[in-house]
Amino acid sequence: MHEMSIAQGMIEQIEKIAQDYDAIRVTKVEIETGILRQVIADVMQTAFQAVSEGTLAEGSLLELREVPALAECRKCKMSFEPEIDNFLCPQCHLADVKILQGDEIILKSMECDSKEKKETHEN
């Protein structure tokens, strides 16, 4: 289950960013995953929940958005959406492609509670 290692890496990044901005709690995280990474949303949710326990992101909402694959043939320069197991160019039928998108995992955004917000709510 590679989702666990992905979630662990995300939590490390989330915690660092949250600390850099003096956040006291992370409430929402948005992640984009390329379809070629084959991240299973339900498994990722479970992994994220498990590794976030005891961190600033514990209990936060995780939103996942899957990004389709896009490839460009190195020979004929045609751009196309490959299947996970088929990188043949539909025009020249070669499998020599450059992946343009669909292989990434990106932390797109985070929503956090800050110390200032907490103080405002307490007063």
Side-chain angles (χ1 to χ4, degrees), residues 32-79:
E32 285 185 354
T33 60
I35 194 166
L36 299 175
R37 289 293 182 141
Q38 299 183 350
V39 172
I40 300 168
D42 291 345
V43 176
M44 185 65 184
Q45 291 283 354
T46 301
F48 184 82
Q49 183 180 17
V51 299
S52 68
E53 286 183 21
T55 72
L56 294 175
E58 183 173 0
S60 63
L61 173 66
L62 175 64
E63 289 187 359
L64 291 165
R65 186 175 83 81
E66 190 172 74
V67 177
L70 183 63
E72 178 181 78
C73 179
R74 294 183 199 275
K75 180 180 179 192
C76 72
K77 304 299 182 198
M78 179 181 181
S79 292

Side-chain angles (χ1 to χ4, degrees), residues 60-100:
S60 63
L61 173 66
L62 175 64
E63 289 187 359
L64 291 165
R65 186 175 83 81
E66 190 172 74
V67 177
L70 183 63
E72 178 181 78
C73 179
R74 294 183 199 275
K75 180 180 179 192
C76 72
K77 304 299 182 198
M78 179 181 181
S79 292
F80 64 99
E81 191 173 318
E83 296 176 26
I84 289 176
D85 60 349
N86 181 1
F87 292 90
L88 289 177
C89 173
Q91 184 167 301
C92 69
H93 306 291
L94 289 179
D96 184 14
V97 300
K98 176 182 175 183
I99 301 299
L100 302 176

